[in-house]
Amino acid sequence: MSLKFDFSGRVALVTGSSSGIGAATAVLFAKSGAKVVVTGRNGDKVAEVAKQCADVSPTGVSAVLQVLADVTSEQDLQRLVTETVNTFGRLDVLVNNAGGYVMSAVYDDKFMDAFKSVLNTNLNSMVYLTHICVKHLEKTKGNIVNVSSIAAKLTVLNGSPYCMSKAAIDMFGKCIAVELGPKGIRVNTVNPGVIRTNVLEAQGLPKEVATQVYDMFGGKYPVGRAGEGLDIARNILYLASDESSFITGTSLVSDGGHVAANVSMNADD
Ligand code: NAI
């Protein structure tokens, strides 16, 4: 039996909800009665996920707002929040999920470009969006869930920008949980293991190669499979729900046993 959450009357903004974990999260929020903001850079993908949300929402299309935004643009993020509050009148849940990676070793010529790009997308955007959402979340005694990774805890060969961005996200969540507790806002982090999404294909890997990578990791996991977006969506809704009202400043590792089994992400191992 899976937990059922009731987010009726609440508004959830999920970044990177045009794909993967974010899309599964937006759809589950909609199914659970929330009004949802679906946002990403690709209009067709945003529209497709928005339709899925409307199809499962008890209140249909009126519960879904689509906003095209690049999280690396502060202007776009300002517009995202303004449109959310203008449309729905409030913000209850912020899920900072958008992210990606560029692999680069520290000795590569283009390492600094990779570092800046990954930190901008994964970390700086989340910090800025959180900063401008606090005043709205304070009014609703709201909630923040940040999507990190087990790469915050384990090394990934040629992945130091990604690992650093995710380690910083874990610490950001802990620090601001302390600052925002007195405002009635809880903050938590989810650290997924390998999840079947679009993340590898977004970096140019052919679908069949991406499938092999997911299968390879899944075969090493104690649970015997790689994760699905819905696995993480359920964790996010739990942390955002009143079922976890005593939990703040924590990291929930959801990895099929990846860390426990010492599965390496260093390709030469
Ligand atoms: P995905 O590629 O399917 O989705 C990523 C989402 O972020 C997309 O909607 C994409 O449009 C959005 N995004 C990326 N850069 C953006 C930008 N500049 N502006 C606006 N949106 C942007 O990948 P997935 O796996 O669903 O990734 C979601 C989060 O989960 C990321 O933070 C990722 O680091 C994290 N994660 C994923 C794991 C996996 O194995 N798939 C494992 C651990 C963490």
Side-chain angles (χ1 to χ4, degrees):
M1 190 186 84
S2 62
L3 280 173
K4 297 275 185 290
F5 301 106
D6 183 2
F7 282 93
S8 303
R10 298 199 195 169
V11 176
L13 165 53
V14 184
T15 65
S17 41
S18 60
S19 173
I21 292 169
T25 303
V27 172
L28 195 57
F29 268 120
K31 198 174 177 182
S32 306
K35 293 173 181 159
V36 291
V37 185
V38 179
T39 180
R41 293 164 297 178
N42 179 313
D44 290 343
K45 287 187 173 183
V46 168
E48 168 56 29
V49 176
K51 184 179 178 312
Q52 290 174 27
C53 290
D55 286 349
V56 297
S57 166
T59 47
V61 285
S62 65
V64 189
L65 171 67
Q66 303 177 41
V67 182
L68 283 185
D70 183 331
V71 295
T72 63
S73 158
E74 292 191 357
Q75 270 183 340
D76 280 15
L77 292 177
Q78 284 279 3
R79 182 172 46 78
L80 175 61
V81 176
T82 302
E83 285 190 32
T84 299
V85 176
N86 284 351
T87 305
F88 293 134
R90 58 190 287 155
L91 176 64
D92 296 86
V93 182
L94 170 63
V95 181
N96 283 310
N97 164 75
Y101 69 92
V102 180
M103 302 304 277
S104 187
V106 70
Y107 49 76
D108 288 342
D109 289 343
K110 295 199 167 160
F111 174 77
M112 287 311 298
D113 293 339
F115 173 73
K116 287 174 192 165
S117 161
V118 172
L119 271 283
N120 270 336
T121 303
N122 292 4
L123 180 66
N124 299 0
S125 64
M126 165 182 301
V127 172
Y128 182 72
L129 184 57
T130 301
H131 170 67
I132 61 175
C133 282
V134 165
K135 63 179 184 230
H136 302 293
L137 293 168
E138 186 174 7
K139 287 181 194 153
T140 56
K141 306 279 179 230
N143 205 288
I144 301 171
V145 182
N146 295 328
V147 178
S148 176
S149 169
I150 50 167
K153 302 172 186 301
L154 303 173
T155 58
V156 179
L157 186 68
N158 301 334
S160 71
Y162 186 75
C163 294
M164 285 189 283
S165 73
K166 295 300 187 180
I169 287 169
D170 286 11
M171 184 51 85
F172 179 57
K174 281 202 272 192
C175 289
I176 67 170
V178 176
E179 295 169 13
L180 298 180
K183 293 183 183 292
I185 303 169
R186 290 187 300 112
V187 185
N188 288 293
T189 306
V190 179
N191 299 67
V194 172
I195 311 297
R196 285 179 204 272
T197 65
N198 195 47
V199 73
L200 298 178
E201 287 169 72
Q203 296 306 315
L205 252 71
K207 189 174 179 53
E208 55 279 11
V209 178
T211 301
Q212 284 169 10
V213 172
Y214 297 130
D215 290 346
M216 183 272 292
F217 278 105
K220 294 181 181 181
Y221 282 5
V223 299
R225 64 173 178 89
E228 303 290 338
L230 186 58
D231 290 314
I232 306 305
R234 287 184 177 132
N235 303 148
I236 292 170
L237 265 81
Y238 167 66
L239 289 172
S241 77
D242 296 339
E243 300 296 321
S244 68
S245 58
F246 197 53
I247 302 178
T248 195
T250 195
S251 289
L252 173 62
V253 174
S254 181
D255 69 347
H258 185 131
V259 172
N262 298 314
V263 175
S264 174
M265 290 191 287
N266 293 322
D268 291 345
D269 288 1

